[in-house]
Amino acid sequence: GNSGRMLPLASSAAMALVVGSGAMSRVTPPSMVASAPVTDGSLAVDSTWDYDAYLSGYRNSAEVEASEVACSDLPRDLVGTYYRNGHARFVGRDGRKVRHPFDADGMVCAVSLDGRAGKAVVRQRYVATNGAVKERAAGKSVYPGQFGNPLPFCKGGADFKNLANTGVMWHGGKLLALWEGSRPHILDPLSLATVAEWDVDGMVGGGATDSFSAHPRDTPEGGKANFAFFGNPATGMTTVRFWNFLPGSFQLRSPRQEHQVPGFGLYHDFLVTDNWYIVIAAPSTWGKGGWDSVRGTLDWIAGKRTVVSMIAFDETQPTVAHFFPRDPSRGAQPVAVPLDTFFAFHHANAFEDPDTGVVFFRHGE
């Protein structure tokens, strides 16, 4: 998840803010009932172990309007609200289980701490995305998953639900629930009610491939930066976009950037330094190439496998670090640096040596 940061708020009910992300499921011991191995592409990864037993450990989280807890040992100067977002609805209204936790609807949890009064107030609420509202009205699961529960295209398999289940962001007076596959949702910071899906004042388009990632970054200037990506299997290219917001505002410090990167990219996270945006491109491909990619695509259309199960890793190719200048007006050009082959979903941090300009970065997983 994201590390937290304290930010001042005008509201007396929440004088500071910490943001984070992560799962919030209530986990119970799995039942050891044998099930068939999952090796047919209906999950993002093949599983030869008891997947049903694994899934039995997930239960839907309950919404909490407000629950006050006595915390007499809190430091008196600890006053603020911690927000956390994660996957929470694992069983649909018709009893259908989500086959992969990443496909569960998002729920935001807020813990308001007041060390002066020695108490905390907890509330948590599902993000009322358009898809979640539609499924509530239908009384059943409607959408396919990205990682599990595929559907044939003739039954809506090409549609997707904005899950709003990965991160939260406080900036410019707005609390946003984030999911990398689509646009953010504005939430009320006190009640956690969903206000609307938001196109960031028109800076994020309304198309099916327009998105705003779940891992924004603090900038050295005190603002926020975020990015988005879309890998196109037909062209073999990935579109990457960057936004650089002013401190406390969604006004841009510099124009939005858009670049084309070779390959079918899977960039869940990115890095920001004084002068660069950095994207780490693992050698991922749409299928394993040739007939395997064609057959896999047909199986995806037929609802026999998920879209994420189509992503393959080519260990024969290098991982590439793509550097994009944050201020192209200064004359710098994008740079691609081949690295030893690895895959990283999240990155810890990156910084530049002030004397040499050499960039250092750390990644996880």
Side-chain angles (χ1 to χ4, degrees):
N2 296 333
S3 59
R5 182 183 178 190
M6 299 297 293
L7 298 173
L9 289 181
S11 169
S12 60
M15 294 180 62
L17 183 84
V18 181
V19 295
S21 67
M24 300 180 303
S25 60
R26 295 179 177 177
V27 180
T28 58
S31 61
M32 300 307 294
V33 179
S35 62
V38 181
T39 58
D40 59 0
S42 61
L43 282 168
V45 293
D46 291 345
S47 169
T48 56
W49 37 274
D50 193 338
Y51 204 79
D52 285 338
Y54 167 70
L55 289 176
S56 70
Y58 290 89
R59 300 288 187 272
N60 289 351
S61 295
E63 291 189 324
V64 177
E65 184 174 344
S67 177
E68 185 173 306
V69 181
C71 300
S72 59
D73 293 333
L74 285 177
R76 286 188 56 81
D77 60 350
L78 181 57
V79 180
T81 299
Y82 178 76
Y83 293 91
R84 193 171 179 85
N85 188 5
H87 327 90
R89 182 178 285 119
F90 301 99
V91 182
R93 299 178 186 280
D94 53 355
R96 188 183 79 164
K97 286 187 176 182
V98 170
R99 297 292 293 170
H100 194 288
F102 287 179
D103 287 328
D105 288 345
M107 169 180 278
V108 173
C109 175
V111 182
S112 295
L113 305 170
D114 189 345
R116 301 162 304 184
K119 66 179 182 180
V121 178
V122 180
R123 57 244 190 246
Q124 55 187 41
R125 193 165 184 172
Y126 284 101
V127 184
T129 66
N130 292 333
V133 171
K134 181 177 179 179
E135 291 184 327
R136 181 176 62 192
K140 63 180 181 179
S141 302
V142 175
Y143 293 91
Q146 307 291 304
F147 293 81
N149 302 89
L151 290 173
F153 277 28
C154 62
K155 296 183 178 180
D159 299 332
F160 69 90
K161 176 170 55 172
N162 184 336
L163 296 167
N165 69 3
T166 312
V168 282
M169 172 181 176
W170 172 263
H171 188 69
K174 289 183 171 61
L175 178 65
L176 305 180
L178 305 175
W179 181 64
E180 72 178 33
S182 192
R183 288 157 291 280
H185 284 77
I186 301 175
L187 307 182
D188 183 284
L190 296 180
S191 70
L192 302 182
T194 302
V195 177
E197 186 176 290
W198 189 42
D199 63 3
V200 193
D201 292 337
M203 287 181 276
V204 179
T209 62
D210 292 317
S211 62
F212 194 72
S213 98
H215 286 296
R217 292 278 176 173
D218 294 331
T219 64
E221 307 81 31
K224 287 282 188 182
N226 205 0
F227 86 117
F229 75 95
F230 173 70
N232 190 331
T235 64
M237 300 293 289
T238 298
T239 301
V240 184
R241 301 184 177 104
F242 299 100
W243 295 269
N244 189 21
F245 299 111
L246 289 169
S249 169
F250 279 97
Q251 292 184 347
L252 291 175
R253 183 174 184 270
S254 55
R256 188 196 77 163
Q257 295 190 37
E258 181 171 313
H259 302 273
Q260 298 296 316
V261 178
F264 180 76
L266 177 61
Y267 316 140
H268 181 71
D269 198 0
F270 79 126
L271 293 159
V272 178
T273 68
D274 290 340
N275 295 294
W276 302 98
Y277 299 119
I278 307 169
V279 171
I280 310 298
S284 55
T285 59
W286 179 260
K288 297 179 180 179
W291 174 242
D292 178 84
S293 297
V294 174
R295 180 177 56 199
T297 301
L298 294 175
D299 285 345
W300 173 47
I301 293 172
K304 296 180 180 180
R305 66 183 304 160
T306 67
V307 60
V308 174
S309 73
M310 285 298 302
I311 300 173
F313 185 78
D314 187 353
E315 296 181 0
T316 68
Q317 298 299 313
T319 293
V320 179
H322 292 277
F323 293 77
F324 302 98
R326 293 182 60 209
D327 186 0
S329 67
R330 299 175 61 182
Q333 297 296 316
V335 179
V337 180
L339 306 171
D340 292 339
T341 302
F342 69 92
F343 178 85
F345 218 44
H346 296 106
H347 314 304
N349 193 23
F351 64 94
E352 298 176 31
D353 186 301
D355 297 323
T356 66
V358 173
V359 174
F360 299 85
F361 60 87
R362 294 181 62 86
H363 62 84
E365 304 155 39

